[in-house]
Amino acid sequence: MGIVEEAHNLKVLGSGDRLIVLAHGFGTDQSVWKHLVPHLVDDFRVVLYDNMGAGTTNPDYFDFSRYATLEGYAFDLLAILEELRVDSCIFVGHSVSAMVGAIASISRPDLFSKIIMISGSPRYLNDVDYYGGFEQEDLDQLFDAMGANYKAWCSGFAPLAVGGDMESVAVQEFSRTLFNMRPDIALSVAQTIFQSDMRQILSLVSVPCHILQSVKDLAVPLVVSEYLHQNLGCESIVEVMTSDGHLPQLSSPDIVIPVLLKHIRYDISTA
Amino acid sequence: MYCSLPLVAYAMAGASSRVHFHDIPDVVLTTIFSLVSKTRTRNAMSLVCLKWLALERSTRKSLTLRGNIRDLFLLPTCFRAVTDLDLSFVSPWGYPFFDSFSNPHLLAQFLRHAFPSVVSLVVYVRNNSISTLHHLAPQWPNLRHVKLVRWHRRLPTAPIGSDLVSLFEHCRTLSSLDVSHFYCWPEDLSLGIQAYPSIAASLSHLNILKHSSTEGFKSRELLAITSSCPNLRKLLATCEFDPRFVGYVGDQTLLAIASNCPHLSLLHLVDTTSESGIRPDLNHEGYTSEDACICHATLGDVFARLPLLEELVLDVCHNVWGTWPALELLNSKCPRLKSLKLGHFHGICRGIVSRPDGIVLCRGLQSLSIKNSADLTDHSLISISRGCHILSKFEILGCKGITATGMRIFTHNLRKTLVDVKISYCKSLDAVSSLQALEPIRDRIERLHIDCVWEENSLKKKYKSSSSTTWTNIQHLSLWIAAGESLAPLSFAGIDDCPALEEIRIKVEGNCRDKARPSTNAFGLRCLTVIPRLSRMMLDCSGVTGYAHTAPAGKTDLSLWERFFLSGIQELKIDELDYWTAQDVDMNRRSLFLPAAALLAQCGSLRKLFIHGTANEHLMMFLVGNPFLRDAQLRLNYYPAPDDDTSTKMRVDSCFRFEEALGSSSRHVPD
């Protein structure tokens, strides 16, 4: 088994002409796609992998400097595509992985026929004239809790803070899965995510993007999808699903799967 | 049997001051050693001198193999006297035994070489690709007892009966088979039994309960099996008593089973809904909507055909009416009967003091369990205590008509013999009143189960009466508690001093999805620090359901509940813990979260930890810091155990890294 395959728990299932890559968001692992995969394996080859730092990967492989920015994860994705000798794929990215896919597609647009972004956002922190959904004060509490967990873990005490302790419901929603990562990795990943600002690179994306999100996702306000639609360099289409929450493929598969399948099967009309 | 060696030595020394332990003839020493069953004691004995080492090894009859499958070549070869071998706990738990070996046949032979005398085997059989039994069974052709374990799904493509055929083909002297934790289809078993009639005819013990699925055996399947196995002495099976289902078991089936197997000493039939875990509403009348097709007259005939019966369980889960005549016949036709468990049997005793009837006449009973007997009254209960006058074990579940008054007179009447009591989901018996009712046997009782249902008034009353209550002999305490409730009232509910208590089991049940955050910080494990000898705990949160990752806004995650349940565990001095994680039913996920790993890592006295659920590698690595921990394993013994593909199961490599870290020589485990 190649090192890439083993490190990322890479799996290729199903059969078909076209290839779909499913990329999970942080704090979870490829099992978030469990409801979707059975619908795809008959018609597509499906590639599943775990991001470095996910609970199912070897924590020793987490290179803090490599993954200080999202580019590190984009390099991983490209390495996987190269290992599998993929020449073109449909990329489905959840949450932060949606941006990872976008970054990867800028350097290698030939590898991606389309990108489907589920609950993706270019920037989470609010800015002048930009509403990302999170205020600095909300994030302060998050980083305090993660810092406390990290200190406790280093000193042999019990890291006990969990997402549910956060006051801000938006932070709760987004961070609950992050708290399950190893405390040092969780802190680093949280910093990476909330410091990242992908707004500038959106115009460089040349691959068609399908933007999907829940109507009520505290971590991704509706205006974010609209922002993505307006600012992505390529053609894009937005669909707001009646689902709830940041992990709609798990919490409301009945709503999400038909929509996902539709966007996988059909392309954006250029008429 | 636990034998105190110093006592023997002392006794010897008493006879003459110059007698030494080594003057005892070898034959006697061997007998003494073979009576010792505790593994830690045996390990200590084997360190005394070479002679004792040899003696211990030659008398060790049973062994459970732990350790990682990759290290199987390091198998110890000094345990050649072992007759009972358990291979089902090798790490990674539930892994296909021979999958990682290029030469499975060689390994099987190595196992045989290390354990040549095995006659009883427990093994996890994952799937048929490289069939475990195909390689193992030929190594021990003299096997008499086999227990197969499988909690993973049976592959639909596997040929019917293939596992059992591999077994029967090579083990012709098999007399006892246990597939109660083995997920298979009824056809697998039927085919196996029919293909090997000589083995079927010599089977004396067959356990086909279905703990690992929700199905049961149909009537014709049971009849086919019992007619092929006429020499059965013990039969345990799960079946369907609901007459609305095709293949239901009614009294005609029971009659036929009794005719087919007249030598039965143990008959244990349980309905498929018995272990569904759904607690009936306490206010419910107690009768099910459907009746079983069992009439008391035919029941009497069934009993008449089983004269050797010693232990009977009929957990029907559907109404059986007016059963007192049948129970009287049970007493007269089955004189050896010692243990009885009945579920949904109504009219077991009419409670007329002057004319004892029904179950009251079963005077030889030592163990009685009454489940959901809706018309059982205090009078009946008291009559039972007079009739069944040597009862040592009693369970009463879901009987609405029993009150603390009746229960107290019951225990008073049986105070010379009763040592094991379980009181559960009886409407009028909350925790405090149950404990008060047991006051007559407070100094005798050894095993107890109560539900931690706290009623405000009775707690206040108890708190006022300041006398301390000592439960001198209690060794095992089992509690049930609803999710969200606190254990804290236990300390003043009437069970505060338990000097001999070593083992506690706590089962938590409830749906947390819609519950608000728990109001207190902790469930209350801390209150158990007052129990001086507590060393083993089983904390079963498998009945707690909630959201793992997908809690809607404002709802609480399971990680928070986990912290609630486990807070305080770091203050307990337990050395062995079994923990069943809560589950997210939508995702079939039972996993450990950060708070549990963190809190368990603080529980410094732990030597053994078994988690019944999945966990990520980094969370398990928290435990490597526990100074005394030498055995930790994830056991997914719930159905269906998740397969590899898309779950957060600890990967094989993760398991290996964790166990390597745990076993590494840089950890100096003090004892």
mmCIF file of all heavy atoms in Angstrom, chain A residues 11 29 31 34 55 58 149 156-160 162 164-165 176-177 179-182, chain B residues 517 549-551 553 557 563 587 589 593-595 598 602 616 618 622 646 648 651 657:
data_model
loop_
_atom_site.group_PDB
_atom_site.id
_atom_site.type_symbol
_atom_site.label_atom_id
_atom_site.label_comp_id
_atom_site.label_asym_id
_atom_site.label_seq_id
_atom_site.Cartn_x
_atom_site.Cartn_y
_atom_site.Cartn_z
ATOM 1 N N LYS A 11 -9.813 5.105 -0.172
ATOM 2 C CA LYS A 11 -10.634 4.000 -0.671
ATOM 3 C C LYS A 11 -11.220 4.360 -2.013
ATOM 4 O O LYS A 11 -11.671 5.484 -2.195
ATOM 5 C CB LYS A 11 -11.796 3.740 0.297
ATOM 6 C CG LYS A 11 -11.375 2.980 1.511
ATOM 7 C CD LYS A 11 -12.567 2.372 2.216
ATOM 8 C CE LYS A 11 -12.090 1.708 3.476
ATOM 9 N NZ LYS A 11 -11.373 2.632 4.383
ATOM 10 N N ASP A 29 -14.586 12.521 9.456
ATOM 11 C CA ASP A 29 -13.773 11.694 8.568
ATOM 12 C C ASP A 29 -14.683 11.193 7.449
ATOM 13 O O ASP A 29 -15.839 11.600 7.365
ATOM 14 C CB ASP A 29 -13.141 10.525 9.343
ATOM 15 C CG ASP A 29 -14.192 9.658 9.976
ATOM 16 O OD1 ASP A 29 -14.825 8.857 9.259
ATOM 17 O OD2 ASP A 29 -14.403 9.789 11.191
ATOM 18 N N SER A 31 -16.534 8.933 7.008
ATOM 19 C CA SER A 31 -17.820 8.315 7.331
ATOM 20 C C SER A 31 -18.988 9.295 7.217
ATOM 21 O O SER A 31 -20.141 8.878 7.211
ATOM 22 C CB SER A 31 -17.804 7.698 8.734
ATOM 23 O OG SER A 31 -17.578 8.683 9.707
ATOM 24 N N LYS A 34 -21.427 8.391 4.448
ATOM 25 C CA LYS A 34 -21.962 7.029 4.433
ATOM 26 C C LYS A 34 -23.329 6.914 3.777
ATOM 27 O O LYS A 34 -23.666 5.914 3.187
ATOM 28 C CB LYS A 34 -22.001 6.449 5.844
ATOM 29 C CG LYS A 34 -22.966 7.142 6.775
ATOM 30 C CD LYS A 34 -22.782 6.683 8.226
ATOM 31 C CE LYS A 34 -23.260 5.281 8.465
ATOM 32 N NZ LYS A 34 -23.180 4.919 9.883
ATOM 33 N N GLY A 55 -9.474 12.122 13.068
ATOM 34 C CA GLY A 55 -9.287 11.147 14.136
ATOM 35 C C GLY A 55 -8.859 9.773 13.663
ATOM 36 O O GLY A 55 -8.258 9.014 14.404
ATOM 37 N N ASN A 58 -3.149 8.740 11.516
ATOM 38 C CA ASN A 58 -2.060 8.676 12.475
ATOM 39 C C ASN A 58 -1.633 10.095 12.836
ATOM 40 O O ASN A 58 -1.148 10.836 11.976
ATOM 41 C CB ASN A 58 -0.898 7.907 11.848
ATOM 42 C CG ASN A 58 0.238 7.673 12.821
ATOM 43 O OD1 ASN A 58 0.309 8.312 13.868
ATOM 44 N ND2 ASN A 58 1.122 6.756 12.462
ATOM 45 N N ASN A 149 -7.640 23.268 26.661
ATOM 46 C CA ASN A 149 -7.553 21.826 26.374
ATOM 47 C C ASN A 149 -6.117 21.442 26.046
ATOM 48 O O ASN A 149 -5.600 20.415 26.505
ATOM 49 C CB ASN A 149 -8.454 21.456 25.182
ATOM 50 C CG ASN A 149 -9.875 21.136 25.602
ATOM 51 O OD1 ASN A 149 -10.215 21.237 26.772
ATOM 52 N ND2 ASN A 149 -10.704 20.742 24.655
ATOM 53 N N GLY A 156 -0.754 16.531 31.195
ATOM 54 C CA GLY A 156 -1.275 15.290 31.761
ATOM 55 C C GLY A 156 -2.579 15.476 32.518
ATOM 56 O O GLY A 156 -3.008 14.579 33.242
ATOM 57 N N PHE A 157 -3.207 16.628 32.338
ATOM 58 C CA PHE A 157 -4.525 16.794 32.944
ATOM 59 C C PHE A 157 -5.602 16.478 31.919
ATOM 60 O O PHE A 157 -5.301 16.119 30.799
ATOM 61 C CB PHE A 157 -4.680 18.234 33.470
ATOM 62 C CG PHE A 157 -3.762 18.534 34.605
ATOM 63 C CD1 PHE A 157 -2.759 19.479 34.474
ATOM 64 C CD2 PHE A 157 -3.875 17.845 35.810
ATOM 65 C CE1 PHE A 157 -1.894 19.744 35.517
ATOM 66 C CE2 PHE A 157 -3.013 18.105 36.849
ATOM 67 C CZ PHE A 157 -2.014 19.054 36.702
ATOM 68 N N ALA A 158 -6.848 16.635 32.356
ATOM 69 C CA ALA A 158 -7.941 16.231 31.469
ATOM 70 C C ALA A 158 -8.444 17.412 30.651
ATOM 71 O O ALA A 158 -8.961 18.369 31.206
ATOM 72 C CB ALA A 158 -9.083 15.652 32.296
ATOM 73 N N PRO A 159 -8.296 17.380 29.327
ATOM 74 C CA PRO A 159 -8.904 18.414 28.488
ATOM 75 C C PRO A 159 -10.406 18.162 28.425
ATOM 76 O O PRO A 159 -10.823 17.147 27.883
ATOM 77 C CB PRO A 159 -8.264 18.206 27.121
ATOM 78 C CG PRO A 159 -7.723 16.836 27.131
ATOM 79 C CD PRO A 159 -7.606 16.358 28.535
ATOM 80 N N LEU A 160 -11.185 19.034 29.008
ATOM 81 C CA LEU A 160 -12.601 18.719 29.142
ATOM 82 C C LEU A 160 -13.542 19.639 28.395
ATOM 83 O O LEU A 160 -14.737 19.422 28.406
ATOM 84 C CB LEU A 160 -12.992 18.720 30.631
ATOM 85 C CG LEU A 160 -12.494 17.501 31.416
ATOM 86 C CD1 LEU A 160 -12.817 17.662 32.888
ATOM 87 C CD2 LEU A 160 -13.142 16.219 30.906
ATOM 88 N N VAL A 162 -15.778 21.162 25.600
ATOM 89 C CA VAL A 162 -16.380 20.629 24.383
ATOM 90 C C VAL A 162 -17.151 21.743 23.667
ATOM 91 O O VAL A 162 -17.420 22.787 24.255
ATOM 92 C CB VAL A 162 -17.354 19.457 24.663
ATOM 93 C CG1 VAL A 162 -16.626 18.241 25.139
ATOM 94 C CG2 VAL A 162 -18.430 19.874 25.634
ATOM 95 N N GLY A 164 -20.128 22.141 23.033
ATOM 96 C CA GLY A 164 -21.368 22.566 23.678
ATOM 97 C C GLY A 164 -21.192 23.601 24.763
ATOM 98 O O GLY A 164 -22.164 24.200 25.231
ATOM 99 N N ASP A 165 -19.941 23.847 25.200
ATOM 100 C CA ASP A 165 -19.710 24.851 26.234
ATOM 101 C C ASP A 165 -19.701 26.256 25.673
ATOM 102 O O ASP A 165 -19.773 27.229 26.422
ATOM 103 C CB ASP A 165 -18.354 24.602 26.916
ATOM 104 C CG ASP A 165 -18.334 23.293 27.675
ATOM 105 O OD1 ASP A 165 -19.395 22.903 28.194
ATOM 106 O OD2 ASP A 165 -17.264 22.666 27.734
ATOM 107 N N ARG A 176 -18.084 21.805 17.169
ATOM 108 C CA ARG A 176 -18.294 20.597 17.969
ATOM 109 C C ARG A 176 -17.459 19.429 17.482
ATOM 110 O O ARG A 176 -16.966 18.634 18.269
ATOM 111 C CB ARG A 176 -19.765 20.209 18.020
ATOM 112 C CG ARG A 176 -20.360 19.759 16.713
ATOM 113 C CD ARG A 176 -21.655 19.013 16.943
ATOM 114 N NE ARG A 176 -22.620 19.798 17.670
ATOM 115 C CZ ARG A 176 -23.657 20.414 17.113
ATOM 116 N NH1 ARG A 176 -23.855 20.340 15.819
ATOM 117 N NH2 ARG A 176 -24.502 21.088 17.849
ATOM 118 N N THR A 177 -17.254 19.346 16.165
ATOM 119 C CA THR A 177 -16.445 18.237 15.673
ATOM 120 C C THR A 177 -14.961 18.509 15.889
ATOM 121 O O THR A 177 -14.179 17.594 16.099
ATOM 122 C CB THR A 177 -16.693 17.989 14.179
ATOM 123 O OG1 THR A 177 -16.570 19.231 13.490
ATOM 124 C CG2 THR A 177 -18.077 17.437 13.946
ATOM 125 N N PHE A 179 -13.502 19.741 18.448
ATOM 126 C CA PHE A 179 -13.058 19.389 19.794
ATOM 127 C C PHE A 179 -12.731 17.917 19.933
ATOM 128 O O PHE A 179 -12.133 17.509 20.921
ATOM 129 C CB PHE A 179 -14.112 19.791 20.835
ATOM 130 C CG PHE A 179 -14.015 21.231 21.260
ATOM 131 C CD1 PHE A 179 -14.792 22.194 20.645
ATOM 132 C CD2 PHE A 179 -13.139 21.623 22.252
ATOM 133 C CE1 PHE A 179 -14.700 23.526 21.015
ATOM 134 C CE2 PHE A 179 -13.048 22.955 22.633
ATOM 135 C CZ PHE A 179 -13.822 23.906 22.019
ATOM 136 N N ASN A 180 -13.133 17.105 18.985
ATOM 137 C CA ASN A 180 -12.806 15.689 19.064
ATOM 138 C C ASN A 180 -11.437 15.351 18.509
ATOM 139 O O ASN A 180 -10.983 14.222 18.604
ATOM 140 C CB ASN A 180 -13.844 14.857 18.310
ATOM 141 C CG ASN A 180 -14.945 14.429 19.237
ATOM 142 O OD1 ASN A 180 -14.736 14.307 20.425
ATOM 143 N ND2 ASN A 180 -16.117 14.215 18.684
ATOM 144 N N MET A 181 -10.785 16.336 17.912
ATOM 145 C CA MET A 181 -9.443 16.063 17.411
ATOM 146 C C MET A 181 -8.464 16.138 18.570
ATOM 147 O O MET A 181 -8.782 16.651 19.642
ATOM 148 C CB MET A 181 -9.076 17.092 16.340
ATOM 149 C CG MET A 181 -10.042 17.086 15.169
ATOM 150 S SD MET A 181 -9.753 18.458 14.039
ATOM 151 C CE MET A 181 -8.644 17.722 12.882
ATOM 152 N N ARG A 182 -7.250 15.663 18.345
ATOM 153 C CA ARG A 182 -6.256 15.726 19.420
ATOM 154 C C ARG A 182 -6.026 17.193 19.748
ATOM 155 O O ARG A 182 -5.894 18.009 18.823
ATOM 156 C CB ARG A 182 -4.975 15.063 18.980
ATOM 157 C CG ARG A 182 -4.096 14.651 20.145
ATOM 158 C CD ARG A 182 -2.929 13.827 19.705
ATOM 159 N NE ARG A 182 -1.912 14.630 19.026
ATOM 160 C CZ ARG A 182 -0.734 14.144 18.647
ATOM 161 N NH1 ARG A 182 -0.474 12.860 18.846
ATOM 162 N NH2 ARG A 182 0.136 14.904 18.048
ATOM 163 N N ARG B 517 -29.620 20.507 28.614
ATOM 164 C CA ARG B 517 -28.341 20.177 29.244
ATOM 165 C C ARG B 517 -28.608 19.676 30.662
ATOM 166 O O ARG B 517 -29.474 20.200 31.349
ATOM 167 C CB ARG B 517 -27.479 21.431 29.347
ATOM 168 C CG ARG B 517 -26.846 21.880 28.075
ATOM 169 C CD ARG B 517 -26.170 23.210 28.321
ATOM 170 N NE ARG B 517 -24.952 23.054 29.086
ATOM 171 C CZ ARG B 517 -23.748 23.334 28.606
ATOM 172 N NH1 ARG B 517 -23.620 23.760 27.379
ATOM 173 N NH2 ARG B 517 -22.693 23.197 29.351
ATOM 174 N N HIS B 549 -22.854 14.128 16.107
ATOM 175 C CA HIS B 549 -22.336 15.332 15.462
ATOM 176 C C HIS B 549 -23.420 16.247 14.930
ATOM 177 O O HIS B 549 -23.147 17.350 14.507
ATOM 178 C CB HIS B 549 -21.479 14.946 14.246
ATOM 179 C CG HIS B 549 -20.226 14.251 14.620
ATOM 180 N ND1 HIS B 549 -19.410 14.696 15.626
ATOM 181 C CD2 HIS B 549 -19.640 13.153 14.119
ATOM 182 C CE1 HIS B 549 -18.376 13.887 15.723
ATOM 183 N NE2 HIS B 549 -18.483 12.941 14.832
ATOM 184 N N THR B 550 -24.646 15.740 14.876
ATOM 185 C CA THR B 550 -25.641 16.465 14.092
ATOM 186 C C THR B 550 -26.716 17.116 14.942
ATOM 187 O O THR B 550 -27.845 17.278 14.505
ATOM 188 C CB THR B 550 -26.315 15.493 13.097
ATOM 189 O OG1 THR B 550 -26.840 14.384 13.837
ATOM 190 C CG2 THR B 550 -25.326 14.998 12.079
ATOM 191 N N ALA B 551 -26.383 17.490 16.172
ATOM 192 C CA ALA B 551 -27.389 18.109 17.031
ATOM 193 C C ALA B 551 -27.883 19.408 16.400
ATOM 194 O O ALA B 551 -27.075 20.252 16.019
ATOM 195 C CB ALA B 551 -26.814 18.389 18.411
ATOM 196 N N ALA B 553 -29.452 23.197 16.268
ATOM 197 C CA ALA B 553 -29.036 24.346 17.065
ATOM 198 C C ALA B 553 -29.717 24.325 18.423
ATOM 199 O O ALA B 553 -30.921 24.127 18.527
ATOM 200 C CB ALA B 553 -29.396 25.625 16.327
ATOM 201 N N ASP B 557 -24.987 17.848 22.481
ATOM 202 C CA ASP B 557 -24.271 16.703 21.901
ATOM 203 C C ASP B 557 -24.064 15.609 22.916
ATOM 204 O O ASP B 557 -23.990 15.859 24.107
ATOM 205 C CB ASP B 557 -22.842 17.120 21.572
ATOM 206 C CG ASP B 557 -22.795 17.928 20.342
ATOM 207 O OD1 ASP B 557 -23.494 17.577 19.391
ATOM 208 O OD2 ASP B 557 -22.051 18.916 20.363
ATOM 209 N N ARG B 563 -19.358 13.665 29.293
ATOM 210 C CA ARG B 563 -18.645 14.336 30.376
ATOM 211 C C ARG B 563 -19.470 14.280 31.661
ATOM 212 O O ARG B 563 -18.936 14.062 32.750
ATOM 213 C CB ARG B 563 -18.365 15.784 29.989
ATOM 214 C CG ARG B 563 -17.434 16.506 30.945
ATOM 215 C CD ARG B 563 -17.102 17.883 30.444
ATOM 216 N NE ARG B 563 -18.274 18.737 30.362
ATOM 217 C CZ ARG B 563 -18.288 19.909 29.755
ATOM 218 N NH1 ARG B 563 -17.212 20.355 29.151
ATOM 219 N NH2 ARG B 563 -19.383 20.637 29.718
ATOM 220 N N MET B 587 -26.978 7.100 13.059
ATOM 221 C CA MET B 587 -25.745 6.768 12.364
ATOM 222 C C MET B 587 -25.192 5.408 12.796
ATOM 223 O O MET B 587 -24.108 5.048 12.385
ATOM 224 C CB MET B 587 -24.684 7.832 12.668
ATOM 225 C CG MET B 587 -25.022 9.155 12.051
ATOM 226 S SD MET B 587 -23.862 10.402 12.566
ATOM 227 C CE MET B 587 -22.347 9.663 12.065
ATOM 228 N N ARG B 589 -23.768 4.830 15.447
ATOM 229 C CA ARG B 589 -22.428 5.113 15.922
ATOM 230 C C ARG B 589 -22.406 5.095 17.439
ATOM 231 O O ARG B 589 -23.194 5.778 18.090
ATOM 232 C CB ARG B 589 -21.977 6.479 15.432
ATOM 233 C CG ARG B 589 -20.763 6.995 16.191
ATOM 234 C CD ARG B 589 -20.258 8.268 15.617
ATOM 235 N NE ARG B 589 -19.326 7.997 14.550
ATOM 236 C CZ ARG B 589 -19.077 8.836 13.553
ATOM 237 N NH1 ARG B 589 -19.714 9.972 13.478
ATOM 238 N NH2 ARG B 589 -18.213 8.525 12.634
ATOM 239 N N PHE B 593 -15.861 10.096 22.976
ATOM 240 C CA PHE B 593 -15.507 11.470 22.640
ATOM 241 C C PHE B 593 -14.383 11.934 23.552
ATOM 242 O O PHE B 593 -13.938 11.203 24.430
ATOM 243 C CB PHE B 593 -16.733 12.367 22.793
ATOM 244 C CG PHE B 593 -17.858 11.980 21.874
ATOM 245 C CD1 PHE B 593 -18.935 11.244 22.336
ATOM 246 C CD2 PHE B 593 -17.837 12.331 20.531
ATOM 247 C CE1 PHE B 593 -19.966 10.871 21.489
ATOM 248 C CE2 PHE B 593 -18.870 11.968 19.679
ATOM 249 C CZ PHE B 593 -19.934 11.240 20.165
ATOM 250 N N LEU B 594 -13.981 13.185 23.371
ATOM 251 C CA LEU B 594 -12.844 13.710 24.126
ATOM 252 C C LEU B 594 -13.018 13.626 25.637
ATOM 253 O O LEU B 594 -12.112 13.175 26.330
ATOM 254 C CB LEU B 594 -12.587 15.159 23.689
ATOM 255 C CG LEU B 594 -11.420 15.844 24.400
ATOM 256 C CD1 LEU B 594 -10.111 15.290 23.897
ATOM 257 C CD2 LEU B 594 -11.486 17.349 24.185
ATOM 258 N N PRO B 595 -14.166 14.048 26.207
ATOM 259 C CA PRO B 595 -14.270 14.030 27.672
ATOM 260 C C PRO B 595 -14.055 12.648 28.275
ATOM 261 O O PRO B 595 -13.415 12.515 29.320
ATOM 262 C CB PRO B 595 -15.695 14.528 27.948
ATOM 263 C CG PRO B 595 -16.107 15.239 26.727
ATOM 264 C CD PRO B 595 -15.397 14.582 25.601
ATOM 265 N N ALA B 598 -10.394 11.781 28.195
ATOM 266 C CA ALA B 598 -9.679 12.617 29.153
ATOM 267 C C ALA B 598 -9.912 12.155 30.585
ATOM 268 O O ALA B 598 -8.990 12.048 31.383
ATOM 269 C CB ALA B 598 -10.121 14.070 28.999
ATOM 270 N N GLN B 602 -7.464 10.003 33.599
ATOM 271 C CA GLN B 602 -7.153 10.485 34.943
ATOM 272 C C GLN B 602 -7.422 9.431 35.995
ATOM 273 O O GLN B 602 -7.104 9.610 37.161
ATOM 274 C CB GLN B 602 -8.040 11.707 35.276
ATOM 275 C CG GLN B 602 -7.861 12.867 34.330
ATOM 276 C CD GLN B 602 -6.483 13.433 34.424
ATOM 277 O OE1 GLN B 602 -6.024 13.795 35.495
ATOM 278 N NE2 GLN B 602 -5.788 13.473 33.306
ATOM 279 N N ASN B 616 -11.243 6.939 18.321
ATOM 280 C CA ASN B 616 -10.120 7.295 17.463
ATOM 281 C C ASN B 616 -8.810 6.995 18.170
ATOM 282 O O ASN B 616 -8.731 7.005 19.397
ATOM 283 C CB ASN B 616 -10.188 8.774 17.112
ATOM 284 C CG ASN B 616 -11.262 9.027 16.068
ATOM 285 O OD1 ASN B 616 -11.560 8.163 15.276
ATOM 286 N ND2 ASN B 616 -11.846 10.209 16.098
ATOM 287 N N HIS B 618 -6.087 8.730 18.593
ATOM 288 C CA HIS B 618 -5.469 9.707 19.497
ATOM 289 C C HIS B 618 -6.168 9.729 20.845
ATOM 290 O O HIS B 618 -5.554 10.026 21.857
ATOM 291 C CB HIS B 618 -5.419 11.096 18.869
ATOM 292 C CG HIS B 618 -6.754 11.752 18.709
ATOM 293 N ND1 HIS B 618 -7.487 11.656 17.559
ATOM 294 C CD2 HIS B 618 -7.484 12.508 19.560
ATOM 295 C CE1 HIS B 618 -8.601 12.333 17.705
ATOM 296 N NE2 HIS B 618 -8.633 12.864 18.918
ATOM 297 N N PHE B 622 -4.483 8.687 24.872
ATOM 298 C CA PHE B 622 -4.536 9.364 26.180
ATOM 299 C C PHE B 622 -4.274 8.344 27.285
ATOM 300 O O PHE B 622 -3.744 8.658 28.336
ATOM 301 C CB PHE B 622 -5.944 9.944 26.440
ATOM 302 C CG PHE B 622 -6.239 11.252 25.765
ATOM 303 C CD1 PHE B 622 -5.789 11.528 24.495
ATOM 304 C CD2 PHE B 622 -7.014 12.206 26.393
ATOM 305 C CE1 PHE B 622 -6.101 12.731 23.877
ATOM 306 C CE2 PHE B 622 -7.326 13.416 25.784
ATOM 307 C CZ PHE B 622 -6.877 13.672 24.531
ATOM 308 N N THR B 646 -16.971 2.490 6.149
ATOM 309 C CA THR B 646 -17.231 3.916 6.319
ATOM 310 C C THR B 646 -17.584 4.267 7.760
ATOM 311 O O THR B 646 -18.558 4.938 8.017
ATOM 312 C CB THR B 646 -18.394 4.344 5.409
ATOM 313 O OG1 THR B 646 -19.497 3.483 5.665
ATOM 314 C CG2 THR B 646 -18.008 4.276 3.954
ATOM 315 N N THR B 648 -16.036 5.199 11.912
ATOM 316 C CA THR B 648 -14.888 5.695 12.648
ATOM 317 C C THR B 648 -14.274 4.603 13.501
ATOM 318 O O THR B 648 -13.828 4.824 14.593
ATOM 319 C CB THR B 648 -15.318 6.835 13.583
ATOM 320 O OG1 THR B 648 -16.507 7.404 13.090
ATOM 321 C CG2 THR B 648 -14.250 7.878 13.701
ATOM 322 N N ARG B 651 -8.791 1.797 13.143
ATOM 323 C CA ARG B 651 -8.214 0.998 12.071
ATOM 324 C C ARG B 651 -7.221 -0.011 12.646
ATOM 325 O O ARG B 651 -6.690 0.188 13.731
ATOM 326 C CB ARG B 651 -7.507 1.912 11.087
ATOM 327 C CG ARG B 651 -8.270 3.163 10.763
ATOM 328 C CD ARG B 651 -9.207 3.022 9.616
ATOM 329 N NE ARG B 651 -10.170 4.106 9.581
ATOM 330 C CZ ARG B 651 -11.009 4.316 8.588
ATOM 331 N NH1 ARG B 651 -11.011 3.527 7.559
ATOM 332 N NH2 ARG B 651 -11.838 5.329 8.637
ATOM 333 N N ARG B 657 -0.650 0.212 16.829
ATOM 334 C CA ARG B 657 0.205 1.269 17.413
ATOM 335 C C ARG B 657 -0.158 1.493 18.871
ATOM 336 O O ARG B 657 0.711 1.647 19.730
ATOM 337 C CB ARG B 657 0.036 2.582 16.637
ATOM 338 C CG ARG B 657 0.843 2.667 15.370
ATOM 339 C CD ARG B 657 0.814 4.078 14.811
ATOM 340 N NE ARG B 657 -0.487 4.454 14.298
ATOM 341 C CZ ARG B 657 -0.870 4.324 13.042
ATOM 342 N NH1 ARG B 657 -0.041 3.782 12.155
ATOM 343 N NH2 ARG B 657 -2.069 4.708 12.662
#
